[in-house]
Amino acid sequence: MGKKGFVFGVSIMLFAALGWEACNALAYEAGTREHKLDLGVLGFRRSYLLHTPQGYDSTGPLPLIVALHGGFSTALDMEKETGFSEIADREKFFVAYPNGIGLFGRLQHWNAYHCCGFSMRWGIDDVQFVSMVIDRIRTQVKIDSSRIYIVGYSNGGMLGYLYAARNPDIVAAVAGIATTIGSRSSPDEPEIRIDRPHAPVPVIAFHGLMDQIVPYGGGRLNSPYWYVSVRESMLFWIEANKCAAEPIRENMMGGRMIKYTWNGKENGTEVVLFTLRGWGHLPPTRHFARELADTDPLRDLHAPEIIWEFFKSHARTAASSALSDVRYLK
């Protein structure tokens, strides 16, 4: 190699190194920024948004929530519609908003093993992608390994359930909104469900009784899939977490919201379901609830606040957290 080639090569290496350092430095600054992985799928680079809370001084690790958008949506939509970034600024945690695979930055889906769309048909490994996002964030900011949480809406909730079931040594708790553990693409096809986790995972779920996309009672309404019911989905987690068969029931918000709690035999392994009367296939957040009448009890509902309070009370054990670190260092 000639002198000019050597100088050019060194310059490229320095530029790349400085670019990486600059990217990491930006991750420490408060706000939400897009990050791209060195992973190309169908000609597109995978990406995610990372929100760093106001006042983060980088001296200590913070919890991380990975928020997965629904089908036909985006990471930016998930941030806007859930308001998790606002809660993060107050409570001090990071929020990652990964982007699914779609066309021209829209129509994005996740491969949740049993659903949905072209991401499933093309066999996109979205479980690996979520792990890569967590891996990358670990190199950018300080994450509390015992407090990594997953929340997903609709198709994103399906991936959230799948990821938690496959990685109970990483996920401290999972939240599913308007989602399910399985489906079938036609009455003649076999039903596919996610596999049971090898360790308990605390679960909190929200589902509207008027959901026409992922029906509360299961089956098919306004969707190309036949979905597993909310009851069967909860039974899956109740059995996996070895919870009591009978739940504690509480009527809330004038009876418009019913909370069911199944306590686990092990401390902190409960399953919690919020059933929403008169609510459809939308995230039960302030972004949508504010459209309700002033007298509607659900107008004050903001599920992300409830989810965060649930997450705050759950952390992985020291042994499990150490195991997840070892896995990521391989």
Side-chain angles (χ1 to χ4, degrees):
M1 180 186 293
K3 183 176 180 180
K4 290 184 178 179
F6 175 77
V7 171
F8 178 76
V10 171
S11 298
I12 291 295
M13 292 174 64
L14 287 173
F15 179 79
L18 289 172
W20 178 264
E21 291 298 326
C23 182
N24 284 355
L26 284 175
Y28 279 92
E29 296 182 5
T32 304
R33 290 175 177 79
E34 182 182 36
H35 301 266
K36 293 188 176 182
L37 295 173
D38 293 328
L39 173 67
V41 176
L42 303 174
F44 298 94
R45 287 181 67 188
R46 303 298 308 257
S47 66
Y48 62 94
L49 302 180
L50 176 63
H51 181 82
T52 299
Q54 297 287 336
Y56 176 57
D57 60 9
S58 76
T59 59
L62 296 181
L64 169 68
I65 291 179
V66 179
L68 303 168
H69 63 73
F72 297 102
S73 191
T74 67
L76 188 60
D77 291 337
M78 189 67 173
E79 181 183 36
K80 179 178 67 175
E81 294 172 359
T82 62
F84 269 114
S85 293
E86 298 171 14
I87 302 173
D89 285 339
R90 184 187 75 232
E91 297 287 325
K92 307 307 176 193
F93 58 86
F94 297 106
V95 192
Y97 303 93
N99 273 303
I101 285 291
L103 299 174
F104 310 109
R106 304 298 301 181
L107 306 177
Q108 296 179 157
H109 282 80
W110 304 105
N111 177 11
Y113 181 55
H114 63 90
C115 182
C116 294
F118 41 76
S119 291
M120 183 182 67
R121 290 196 298 270
W122 294 339
I124 305 299
D125 192 345
D126 280 319
V127 169
Q128 180 193 34
F129 171 55
V130 171
S131 287
M132 291 181 71
V133 169
I134 296 172
D135 273 350
R136 175 67 178 278
I137 294 172
R138 285 177 183 274
T139 70
Q140 296 175 295
V141 292
K142 295 180 180 178
I143 300 300
D144 183 346
S145 297
S146 69
R147 295 183 178 276
I148 297 175
Y149 307 102
I150 305 288
V151 56
Y153 161 60
S154 191
N155 179 213
M158 298 172 199
L159 176 59
Y161 278 170
L162 175 65
Y163 189 87
R166 290 187 178 178
N167 297 280
D169 54 328
I170 295 173
V171 179
V174 61
I177 301 171
T179 195
T180 179
I181 61 159
S183 66
R184 67 180 73 199
S185 55
S186 77
D188 301 324
E189 295 293 325
E191 184 178 84
I192 301 174
R193 298 188 180 192
I194 64 176
D195 295 328
R196 183 176 298 183
H198 62 77
V201 182
V203 175
I204 183 171
F206 290 79
H207 214 112
L209 283 174
M210 291 180 62
D211 194 323
Q212 301 293 300
I213 305 299
V214 182
Y216 193 95
R220 174 177 179 256
L221 291 175
N222 297 333
S223 168
Y225 293 90
W226 281 254
Y227 291 111
V228 173
S229 69
V230 172
R231 178 180 180 276
E232 288 294 316
S233 295
M234 293 300 100
L235 282 175
F236 170 88
W237 290 111
I238 291 164
E239 293 173 1
N241 290 357
K242 299 179 180 179
C243 293
E246 294 299 320
I248 299 170
R249 172 174 170 153
E250 302 172 66
N251 288 330
M252 309 173 74
M253 292 192 162
R256 291 288 301 282
M257 183 164 74
I258 306 171
K259 178 183 180 182
Y260 299 93
T261 303
W262 292 267
N263 290 315
K265 293 181 180 179
E266 297 181 26
N267 185 36
T269 58
E270 73 265 30
V271 173
V272 178
L273 167 66
F274 288 89
T275 296
L276 308 175
R277 298 182 185 277
W279 192 267
H281 191 74
L282 286 174
T285 66
R286 190 176 296 119
H287 180 83
F288 295 104
R290 65 189 178 192
E291 300 298 324
L292 299 173
D294 292 343
T295 56
D296 193 318
L298 292 183
R299 184 178 171 84
D300 296 326
L301 177 60
H302 192 49
E305 293 282 4
I306 300 172
I307 291 171
W308 172 241
E309 289 302 314
F310 181 82
F311 284 169
K312 280 202 306 186
S313 64
H314 295 89
R316 299 302 300 163
T317 63
S320 297
S321 299
L323 176 60
S324 67
D325 283 339
V326 169
R327 288 183 58 180
Y328 280 117
L329 290 173
K330 286 182 179 180

